[in-house]
Amino acid sequence: MTAEDLQSGHIFLLDKPLDWTSFQAVNKMKYKLKREFNLPKKFKIGHAGTLDPRATGLLIVCCGKFTKKIPEIQDARKEYWTEIKIGVQTESYDTEKPEILHQDFSHITEEQIKTVLEKFIGEIEQKPPVFSAIKIDGQRAYNLARAGEEVEMKSRKTTILYIKDIKIDLPLVSFTVGCSKGTYIRSLAHDIGQELRVGAYLTQLRRTKIGDYTIENATSDFLDNDFRFDNL
C-alpha cells in the first residue's frame, strides 16, 4: 500500500472497541495513516455509519476518493447482535445511564417474548433515543439531554428485516437483528420492554454486518502503536 493508493481510494473494516466514539476511531486511523505514509494535511477520511460508544463491532472507514462511497454504504442494510435486559429501564435506553423503574417480570414466559419480538418484524414507527446524535435546532440531542433540557423526538419509519437466533436467560434476552438504515436498536430494546409491559434496555450491541461487509474481515489491531498497514 502506498500514499497514492490511499488517495486513490481505500476501505478499512474496523472492529470498534467499547467506549470509543466512531470519531475517535477515525481520528486514530487518520493519525496513523498520515504518519506512516506522509499524507497531505487535507487527506480525506471518514466513517460510513456511526456506532454508539457503548456499542462494538463493524465500523467502515473510507479514505481518499472512496469517501464518495460513504452515502452508498450508509444506505446498506445492517445486522447486529443484541442483548437486552427486561424488567428495568434506563433514561438512555442503554448502559450509559443507571437502571430505573424496576418491575417484576416473573410472569413473563419465553413464548411471550418470542411473540413480542415477531411483532417488530416489518416496517415500524420508532422514536430515536433522546441520547442520540440527531440534531435539534442545530444541537445534538444528547447534548441537550445531558444538560437536563426537555427533548422531543419525532417518530420515523424504519424496517426490521428479521430477528433470529433468539436466546433467553431471564432477565437477559439476546438475538440477531437485521434492519434498514436509521434503525436505533436502543429504541427497539425500549419498545420491546414497553410491549412486554415490564420495561427493557440494551445491555450489549455489536454490529456484525453492513451490506456485504462483515465483522469477520474487520481488525482491531489499528489500536496497537506498532501496527503497520501492510498487515491489512
Side-chain angles (χ1 to χ4, degrees), residues 111-174:
E111 194 58 40
Q112 281 179 285
I113 291 170
K114 290 178 180 178
T115 298
V116 164
L117 290 176
E118 286 178 8
K119 289 182 179 181
F120 286 91
I121 299 174
E123 187 177 77
I124 62 172
E125 287 277 346
Q126 184 183 77
K127 273 191 177 182
V130 293
F131 288 85
S132 66
I134 290 174
K135 284 191 174 182
I136 298 175
D137 296 329
Q139 296 193 60
R140 299 290 185 188
Y142 57 68
N143 286 332
L144 296 172
R146 286 167 185 156
E149 295 189 31
E150 201 70 34
V151 181
E152 179 61 36
M153 307 302 291
K154 294 182 179 179
S155 295
R156 54 174 67 180
K157 291 186 185 296
T158 190
T159 303
I160 304 300
L161 303 166
Y162 54 83
I163 293 176
K164 63 181 184 180
D165 302 330
I166 302 167
K167 294 181 180 178
I168 301 172
D169 184 15
L170 294 178
L172 301 177
V173 180
S174 67

Side-chain angles (χ1 to χ4, degrees), residues 3 7 26-27 29-31 33-35 37-46 64:
Q7 292 188 81
V26 171
N27 267 1
M29 286 290 291
K30 186 176 183 179
Y31 170 76
L33 287 168
K34 290 180 74 173
R35 184 184 63 178
F37 295 97
N38 194 29
L39 292 161
K41 187 175 182 179
K42 293 186 178 181
F43 173 65
K44 291 183 178 180
I45 187 169

Side-chain angles (χ1 to χ4, degrees), residues 136-229:
I136 298 175
D137 296 329
Q139 296 193 60
R140 299 290 185 188
Y142 57 68
N143 286 332
L144 296 172
R146 286 167 185 156
E149 295 189 31
E150 201 70 34
V151 181
E152 179 61 36
M153 307 302 291
K154 294 182 179 179
S155 295
R156 54 174 67 180
K157 291 186 185 296
T158 190
T159 303
I160 304 300
L161 303 166
Y162 54 83
I163 293 176
K164 63 181 184 180
D165 302 330
I166 302 167
K167 294 181 180 178
I168 301 172
D169 184 15
L170 294 178
L172 301 177
V173 180
S174 67
F175 50 88
T176 297
V177 55
C179 56
S180 64
K181 171 189 175 183
T183 302
Y184 281 88
I185 306 301
R186 283 183 288 154
S187 291
L188 177 64
H190 175 79
D191 292 344
I192 289 168
Q194 296 305 299
E195 188 70 25
L196 287 168
R197 298 185 179 180
V198 295
Y201 75 95
L202 185 68
T203 52
Q204 293 189 69
L205 183 66
R206 182 164 176 78
R207 187 156 65 193
T208 54
K209 188 181 291 186
I210 301 175
D212 294 328
Y213 300 101
T214 65
I215 191 63
E216 287 77 17
N217 296 316
T219 180
S220 59
D221 293 341
F222 73 99
L223 297 173
D224 298 337
N225 290 329
D226 57 354
F227 172 72
R228 295 189 60 83
F229 287 91

Side-chain angles (χ1 to χ4, degrees), residues 55-114:
T56 66
L58 184 60
L59 183 71
I60 297 179
V61 176
C62 301
C63 64
K65 293 181 180 178
F66 278 15
T67 52
K68 294 179 181 178
K69 294 178 178 286
I70 287 176
E72 172 190 340
I73 297 171
Q74 286 177 326
D75 285 343
R77 295 176 174 183
K78 315 292 191 301
E79 183 181 271
Y80 299 87
W81 177 82
T82 307
E83 182 188 78
I84 68 173
K85 183 177 180 180
I86 72 167
V88 62
Q89 301 178 52
T90 74
E91 286 183 297
S92 59
Y93 300 174
D94 66 4
T95 57
E96 180 182 341
K97 291 291 184 178
E99 292 184 348
I100 56 173
L101 303 176
H102 291 78
Q103 296 187 60
D104 176 39
F105 60 87
S106 59
H107 60 288
I108 299 293
T109 65
E110 291 193 8
E111 194 58 40
Q112 281 179 285
I113 291 170
K114 290 178 180 178

